[in-house]
Amino acid sequence: MFHKLDGAKLPLGLRLICSAAIAALTAVLIAIVILSGPAAPGLQAEVAAQLARSGVDNPVTAVLLNFRSYDTLLEVAVLLVVAVATMPAPGRRLRPALAPTGDMVLIGLIDLVVPVVVVVGAYLLWVGAYAPGGAFQAGALLAGAGVLVSITGRFQFSFGALPARAILALGLLTFTVTAAAVALQTGVFFQYPTAAAGVLILFIEAAATISIAATLVLLYGSLVPPAREQESGP
Amino acid sequence: MDSGFLIDLVLAAGVLILAWLSLVATNLFKAIVLFISLGLLVTVVWVRLGAVDVAIAEAAIGAGLTGALLLAAWRRLWSQRRPVRDASGGDDSGGDNVS
């Protein structure tokens, strides 16, 4: 599938022309950016003016989960599509992903680190309403804990099972259902009632965190070579 | 010249050098490690730019999980190739290209 490119170098003249063209294009783009003056102020003033109605104090979370929540919904949907694409076939027999390790240092470290990571992930999720943090960061941290657990080989995640699939879909499901439910009250899809906005955002983010973490662990698990095949080689 | 500007200058140069090194490395393992280092340096750049949200995401996803995914993919390539390589001595490097 991949071929060595060493033997097929471009002629020197062509390489010089290509690098000159790329350098010129880069210089022109940089010049345009510098000459076009200060960047437009953007929508910071509008976001700051409406922040009180968003239910959270962090402008980034307000934009992601309230003002532009449709974009975030689609991001969560993309993650679900990724999960479906890498998911193991239903009913496939579970094989040990890795031989269980006897490395006491690794096991001891993971016993210490994983609970801390889970607590920090929950903190990042909660603090997203006030300061930098949020569902994606918390989900990635939790996924890191999941990867750590799975490299010992003592535990493995079976994403062919029905509960695991429910967890993968939980984020998108909660997001869509909440968006539709608030539409019953306010009349507009994704228009949260101002009083309940903070709680609703935390609720959606919690569900999204779990799905994001599960999707990322699934991605890692789909890449790890099965231990049995490795040993059966000649 | 104040110290903030100097830090930015070193960061910018470091990002460019690491990006270049990870692209030209012929050893896959070396390229992956350089790429993870690049992610960590870019995290510092995001902090310097005041985008702490992006910095956290870059550290967790860009440097951490992408690194883990790349290493898992690298190990998978290596374990598939090993039976063939064992006869000719084999090496522990990630190797260059797979045909």
Side-chain angles (χ1 to χ4, degrees):
Chain A
M1 199 172 163
F2 301 101
H3 300 284
K4 286 203 173 190
L5 292 167
D6 301 346
K9 273 187 179 164
L10 291 169
L12 184 69
L14 197 56
R15 274 193 283 165
L16 281 178
I17 291 172
C18 283
S19 36
I22 293 168
L25 182 66
T26 312
V28 167
L29 287 176
I30 291 174
I32 289 173
V33 169
I34 291 173
L35 293 178
S36 63
L43 297 170
Q44 286 173 3
E46 280 85 345
V47 170
Q50 301 292 327
L51 196 58
R53 292 177 54 202
S54 70
V56 289
D57 294 335
N58 179 12
V60 176
T61 307
V63 171
L64 284 180
L65 268 301
N66 197 335
F67 303 147
R68 301 285 304 172
S69 43
Y70 200 68
D71 294 0
T72 312
L73 174 73
L74 291 182
E75 275 174 31
V76 174
V78 166
L79 273 176
L80 182 65
V81 172
V82 170
V84 169
T86 50
M87 204 180 272
R92 209 183 72 171
R93 241 185 73 245
L94 207 58
R95 287 179 307 193
L98 283 173
T101 177
D103 191 339
M104 294 312 290
V105 177
L106 179 64
I107 291 169
L109 178 75
I110 282 169
D111 284 349
L112 281 176
V113 165
V114 166
V116 175
V117 172
V118 171
V119 171
V120 173
Y123 170 73
L124 265 184
L125 168 67
W126 175 80
V127 86
Y130 313 97
F136 275 89
Q137 288 88 341
L141 256 186
L142 284 185
V147 168
L148 275 180
V149 166
S150 66
I151 59 172
T152 59
R154 291 195 298 168
F155 303 97
Q156 63 175 317
F157 300 96
S158 162
F159 283 102
L162 192 66
R165 285 161 189 245
I167 285 175
L168 288 172
L170 181 71
L172 186 62
L173 215 64
T174 310
F175 218 143
T176 321
V177 168
T178 312
V182 295
L184 291 178
Q185 199 189 342
T186 59
V188 184
F189 200 60
F190 267 128
Q191 172 94 56
Y192 311 129
T194 311
V199 178
L200 286 174
I201 287 176
L202 188 64
F203 179 59
I204 294 172
E205 279 201 301
T209 301
I210 294 169
S211 286
I212 290 165
T215 307
L216 295 175
V217 172
L218 166 66
L219 265 182
Y220 180 80
S222 69
L223 278 173
V224 173
R228 293 288 165 269
E229 281 177 17
Q230 210 171 343
E231 282 158 18
S232 67
Chain B
M1 206 187 292
D2 64 322
S3 60
F5 182 74
L6 269 180
I7 293 173
D8 290 346
L9 210 63
V10 171
L11 278 175
V15 164
L16 287 176
I17 291 169
L18 272 179
W20 171 253
L21 285 178
S22 68
L23 278 176
V24 299
T26 49
N27 182 308
L28 273 183
F29 184 75
K30 202 196 267 177
I32 292 168
V33 172
L34 284 166
F35 183 79
I36 296 171
S37 323
L38 174 68
L40 290 172
L41 209 61
V42 170
T43 305
V44 184
V45 171
W46 284 123
V47 173
R48 284 290 300 166
L49 288 171
V52 186
D53 283 270
V54 189
I56 299 172
E58 174 71 36
I61 300 174
L65 268 170
T66 311
L69 288 177
L70 286 171
L71 284 173
W74 167 77
R75 192 167 57 189
R76 184 166 189 152
L77 281 175
W78 182 65
S79 73
Q80 281 171 355
R81 263 165 19 130
R82 200 164 62 160
V84 186
R85 278 291 178 94
D86 272 347
S88 57
D91 68 338
D92 59 342
S93 74
D96 25 48
N97 295 318
V98 183
S99 45

